[in-house]
């Protein structure tokens, strides 16, 4: 009976979180599982301990501090530990257990998290990784991540109907249901990624508009299964290329699928501005920054795409086209300046030969 009540209490909380974000629900579920394991060591459950916390029979700050010690002994890294404690705190407050923020800070000592410097990933590094890859799906996936800055799961969630090959560069629509920030956006991918996307789609002619681009089977329903499979393939390539080093005192690798997103942001930010880069990658951006879809596409095509191309041949051709357009613009401006200088010279000659008598004669006429 107690187990049933416990599941009801926890599930009620998780269902309320699920209404905001399904991904958040998974994270909260993981955190609460750690809390439940901790309570079992005390022969307690969320069902039995919450009434005692509500009535003040058990000090909530001491309990949370003990939970921190438990997680530390389990070798949970500081970032995850901080998240788990925050989730449990939210759960307890949801159950009407009062937690004063100032008291919490004084009584519960959570280890500080000092993030490592992220490993820079250049286009040369990406090219080296791809040289060891023989999987066309993974190659297409990586080229798409580099040229669009998509989050790994966003790319795995991409459906055929969301890719528009009728415009150049190829337009991709990210629905709010697949976005981490729940804000839809329109982005673009490089011509290089477009070529590989077309080939990948042609390899599976049986797929319909609502099927996932990177799914191997048409009946695949969950993008997370696609993501996990691609991640495994990527990690194998990392191992072969000897680029699978891990961060100090961590199981996380220095290079991850998220590294391509950082590379994309850095390149777009350097060649345009932070507002465009933040919009393109789906970050929260200024409400005052507004451009038409055509303007955003032209900015990407002229200022970003040449520098988001991996393979040298395609990259050189793209840059060559951009330089050719720039040369034409410079030539037109040079000719215009020459015309203005000629006009100024002619006017100067006229003024130089203009005598008072001629000026008076012009005024009288």
């Amino acid at each position: 009976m107690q187990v049933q009540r416990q599941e009801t209490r926890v599930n009620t909380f998780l269902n309320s979180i699920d209404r905001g974000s399904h991904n958040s629900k998974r994270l909260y579920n993981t955190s609460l599982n750690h809390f439940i394991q901790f309570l079992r060591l005390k022969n307690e459950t969320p069902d039995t301990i919450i009434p005692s916390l509500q009535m003040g029979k058990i000090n909530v700050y001491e309990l949370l501090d003990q939970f921190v010690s438990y997680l530390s002994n389990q070798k949970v890294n500081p970032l995850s530990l901080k998240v788990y404690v925050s989730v449990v705190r939210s759960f307890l407050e949801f159950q009407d257990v009062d937690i004063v923020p100032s008291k919490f800070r004084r009584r519960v000592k959570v280890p500080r998290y000092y993030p490592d410097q992220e490993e820079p990933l250049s286009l040369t590094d990406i090219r080296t990784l791809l040289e060891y890859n023989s999987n066309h799906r993974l190659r297409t996936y990586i080229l798409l991540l580099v040229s669009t800055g998509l989050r790994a799961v966003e790319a795995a969630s991409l459906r055929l109907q969301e890719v528009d090959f009728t415009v150049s560069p190829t337009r991709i629509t990210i629905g709010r249901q697949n976005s981490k920030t729940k804000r839809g956006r329109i982005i673009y991918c490089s011509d290089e990624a477009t070529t590989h996307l077309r080939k990948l789609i042609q390899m599976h002619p049986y797929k319909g508009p609502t099927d996932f681009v990177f799914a191997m089977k048409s009946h695949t329903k969950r993008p997370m299964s696609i993501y996990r499979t691609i991640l495994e393939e990527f990690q194998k390539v990392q191992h072969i290329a000897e680029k699978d080093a891990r961060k100090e005192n961590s199981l996380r690798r220095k290079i991850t699928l998220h590294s391509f997103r950082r590379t994309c942001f850095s390149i777009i930010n350097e060649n345009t501005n932070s507002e465009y880069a933040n919009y393109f990658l789906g970050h929260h951006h200024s409400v005052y920054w507004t451009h038409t879809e055509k303007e955003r596409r032209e900015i990407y095509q002229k200022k970003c795409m040449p520098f988001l191309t991996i393979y040298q041949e395609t990259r050189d051709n793209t840059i060559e086209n951009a330089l050719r357009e720039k040369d034409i613009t410079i030539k037109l401006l040079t000719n215009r300046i020459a015309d203005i200088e000629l006009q100024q010279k002619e006017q100067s000659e006229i003024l130089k030969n203009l005598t008072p008598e001629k000026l008076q004669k012009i005024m009288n006429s």
Side-chain angles (χ1 to χ4, degrees):
M1 184 66 179
Q2 287 185 347
V3 174
Q4 185 177 6
R5 288 172 59 195
Q6 173 186 325
E7 290 178 352
T8 301
R9 187 185 292 273
V10 172
N11 286 339
T12 300
F13 174 69
L14 291 176
N15 289 337
S16 70
I17 299 299
D18 190 35
R19 289 194 289 271
S21 170
H22 185 66
N23 291 331
S24 295
K25 178 185 176 181
R26 287 203 302 270
L27 172 62
Y28 276 53
N29 187 48
T30 301
S31 305
L32 290 175
N33 283 337
H34 282 283
F35 186 58
I36 291 171
Q37 292 295 330
F38 161 71
L39 291 179
R40 283 178 181 171
L41 298 177
K42 296 176 168 292
N43 296 320
E44 296 276 7
T45 67
D47 180 67
T48 59
I49 203 169
I50 284 176
S52 299
L53 290 169
Q54 291 171 336
M55 293 184 290
K57 293 182 179 180
I58 297 178
N59 189 300
V60 65
Y61 306 107
E62 291 180 2
L63 180 71
L64 289 174
D65 194 62
Q66 292 170 7
F67 180 53
V68 170
S69 299
Y70 165 79
L71 293 175
S72 298
N73 293 334
Q74 296 294 317
K75 305 300 182 183
V76 176
N77 71 71
L79 179 59
S80 298
L81 189 151
K82 184 177 181 179
V83 172
Y84 295 163
V85 173
S86 178
V87 168
V88 171
R89 177 180 170 182
S90 177
F91 170 69
L92 295 177
E93 290 176 329
F94 183 82
Q95 305 297 333
D96 294 328
V97 176
D98 294 330
I99 300 176
V100 181
S102 58
K103 286 186 178 181
F104 176 83
R105 287 193 297 270
R106 288 196 304 268
R107 302 286 299 276
V108 183
K109 299 301 181 184
V110 179
R112 291 190 178 183
Y113 171 64
Y114 299 96
D116 296 329
Q117 180 68 32
E118 295 297 338
E119 187 78 8
L121 189 62
S122 65
L123 296 185
T124 302
D125 295 328
I126 299 171
R127 194 179 300 114
T128 301
L129 273 171
L130 291 175
E131 287 175 357
Y132 290 91
N133 172 63
S134 59
N135 187 308
H136 184 259
R137 179 173 70 160
L138 178 59
R139 183 183 303 276
T140 304
Y141 187 78
I142 290 175
L143 293 176
L144 185 68
L145 292 183
V146 174
S147 67
T148 62
L150 281 170
R151 298 177 178 89
V153 179
E154 284 180 343
S157 305
L158 195 63
R159 300 178 187 271
L160 269 68
Q161 63 186 8
E162 296 167 341
V163 183
D164 185 1
F165 293 114
T166 62
V167 296
S168 180
T170 298
R171 180 168 54 202
I172 296 175
T173 303
I174 306 299
R176 65 173 62 248
Q177 70 277 8
N178 296 325
S179 173
K180 180 180 178 181
T181 57
K182 300 304 176 185
R183 298 180 64 175
R185 66 189 189 280
I186 293 175
I187 59 174
Y188 314 95
C189 69
S190 65
D191 293 341
E192 175 183 58
T194 296
T195 301
H196 286 76
L197 271 174
R198 286 183 181 275
K199 289 181 180 179
L200 182 65
I201 293 173
Q202 290 170 1
M203 291 168 61
H204 304 90
Y206 52 82
K207 285 185 179 179
T210 59
D211 289 327
F212 295 115
V213 172
F214 290 99
M216 299 302 292
K217 300 177 182 178
S218 59
H219 60 266
T220 302
K221 301 299 181 183
R222 297 184 60 196
M224 282 302 297
S225 63
I226 301 173
Y227 164 72
R228 292 191 186 98
T229 304
I230 293 178
L231 178 60
E232 291 176 2
E233 296 168 354
F234 176 65
Q235 290 175 347
K236 290 178 182 177
V237 172
Q238 280 185 287
H239 179 70
I240 297 172
E242 297 182 350
K243 288 188 174 293
D244 57 347
R246 299 182 186 273
K247 294 181 178 181
E248 186 177 356
N249 299 323
S250 175
L251 296 176
R252 291 182 61 84
R253 289 176 170 82
K254 291 183 178 180
I255 297 176
T256 66
L257 290 174
H258 198 75
S259 300
F260 301 117
R261 180 173 168 84
R262 296 190 192 96
T263 300
C264 179
F265 179 87
S266 299
I267 292 175
I268 292 178
N269 187 47
E270 288 170 2
N271 292 281
T272 57
N273 55 65
S274 60
E275 290 292 346
Y276 183 82
N278 282 316
Y279 170 83
F280 197 87
L281 269 72
H283 296 155
H284 291 293
H285 64 281
S286 171
V287 295
Y288 296 101
W289 189 88
T290 55
H291 286 71
T292 64
E293 189 273 332
K294 182 179 179 181
E295 290 172 334
R296 297 196 301 269
R297 178 158 28 103
E298 289 178 351
I299 292 173
Y300 177 83
Q301 185 174 33
K302 294 180 179 179
K303 296 185 177 182
C304 304
M305 191 168 71
F307 306 99
L308 292 170
T309 303
I310 302 299
Y311 293 108
Q312 197 65 36
E313 181 180 356
T314 310
R315 179 180 171 84
D316 289 344
N317 291 339
T318 309
I319 294 178
E320 184 180 346
N321 292 335
L323 291 175
R324 189 181 296 114
E325 291 182 4
K326 184 178 290 185
D327 289 341
I328 293 173
T329 303
I330 292 174
K331 188 174 182 180
L332 291 173
L333 290 174
T334 303
N335 292 338
R336 178 59 179 160
I337 292 172
D339 290 341
I340 293 173
E341 290 177 345
L342 180 61
Q343 291 177 2
Q344 290 178 341
K345 187 175 181 181
E346 290 175 351
Q347 291 175 357
S348 178
E349 289 295 328
I350 293 173
L351 292 174
K352 187 186 296 183
N353 298 323
L354 187 63
T355 62
E357 292 80 8
K358 290 182 179 180
L359 179 60
Q360 186 65 39
K361 188 174 181 181
I362 292 172
M363 292 176 64
N364 291 336
S365 61

